[in-house]
Amino acid sequence: DTNKTKLVNGIINKAVDFNAAENYIEASKLLYLAYELDDQNLDYLYYAASSAVNSGDYKNALAYYLTLKEKNYTGVVTKFYATEVSTGVESEVDENTYNLYKKSKEFTNLREGLSDSRLPEIVKNIALIHVANGDNDAAMSAVKDARKLSPKDIGLILTEADLYIKLGDEARFATLMQEA
């Protein structure tokens, strides 16, 4: 439906303006509205969660991140790259440009790649919000989930270590500090 698409695009554009003006609360509300209108587009919910965090609205951010985790959202997209023969410089291009460059002799080393998954960041943010809320049990559970996805993430190791200090487990804290 073109009217719905126009409405969602208008909402997204206004949310981008609010984010640029650092009015994160309004941006988050609009991004969540866009998600409600198009609940197949989990990117809107991801950005609503990010804006909610930036505004300090951890309650909604946590709810949004938990929904994203439950839906196994990764945000992985295909990216397109081409190297200009004359300069040897590789750049990222959109899919249409990529398809045009495939027919050109001015570009070489055309390749596709996948973006990084956002799921480790989402699980990490869930843990950090639980830490900020003082919910140590939920935070520990979320940190363990996040560590499974990103075992070498120093921030997660330090977050887990901090939790162990709060819980009085100095031996586990010391182990994690050595790992970090």
Side-chain angles (χ1 to χ4, degrees):
D1 180 40
T2 58
N3 286 337
K4 183 177 170 184
T5 301
K6 284 181 187 174
L7 176 64
V8 170
N9 288 340
I11 290 169
I12 294 300
N13 289 334
K14 189 66 180 162
V16 168
D17 293 344
F18 278 137
N19 268 326
E22 297 182 13
N23 186 346
Y24 302 117
I25 281 212
E26 294 305 318
S28 180
K29 288 177 186 173
L30 287 178
L31 288 160
Y32 188 75
L33 176 61
Y35 167 70
E36 286 183 311
L37 291 168
D38 181 5
D39 65 0
Q40 298 306 302
N41 192 330
L42 292 174
D43 290 339
Y44 299 154
L45 186 59
Y46 171 79
Y47 289 115
S50 296
S51 292
V53 165
N54 288 337
S55 74
D57 179 7
Y58 296 133
K59 180 180 178 232
N60 281 321
L62 180 60
Y64 302 162
Y65 282 134
L66 288 170
T67 299
L68 290 164
K69 181 182 175 212
E70 179 184 302
K71 293 181 180 277
N72 206 28
Y73 169 77
T74 64
V76 172
V77 294
T78 302
K79 295 187 168 209
F80 303 92
Y81 302 92
T83 302
E84 194 171 352
V85 172
S86 63
T87 64
V89 175
E90 181 180 70
S91 57
E92 184 179 335
V93 296
D94 63 51
E95 187 174 6
N96 290 335
T97 304
Y98 175 79
N99 289 329
L100 285 173
Y101 285 179
K102 285 201 288 192
K103 298 171 186 144
S104 168
K105 301 221 183 299
E106 294 173 33
F107 293 89
T108 185
N109 193 27
L110 290 129
R111 65 182 182 85
E112 295 179 20
L114 296 176
S115 64
D116 291 338
S117 173
R118 292 176 174 160
L119 192 57
E121 173 203 345
I122 289 165
V123 177
K124 177 180 177 179
N125 287 344
I126 289 168
L128 293 174
I129 292 169
H130 283 311
V131 168
N133 290 340
D135 190 346
N136 292 337
D137 291 339
M140 188 61 75
S141 174
V143 166
K144 290 195 181 309
D145 282 351
R147 293 273 327 263
K148 286 178 197 161
L149 293 170
S150 298
K152 304 269 187 234
D153 185 315
I154 295 291
L156 284 175
I157 294 169
L158 295 174
T159 299
E160 186 177 3
D162 184 53
L163 278 171
Y164 279 113
I165 275 291
K166 287 179 181 169
L167 298 173
D169 188 340
E170 286 157 24
R172 188 74 184 114
F173 169 80
T175 304
L176 286 165
M177 291 311 289
Q178 267 194 310
E179 185 181 337

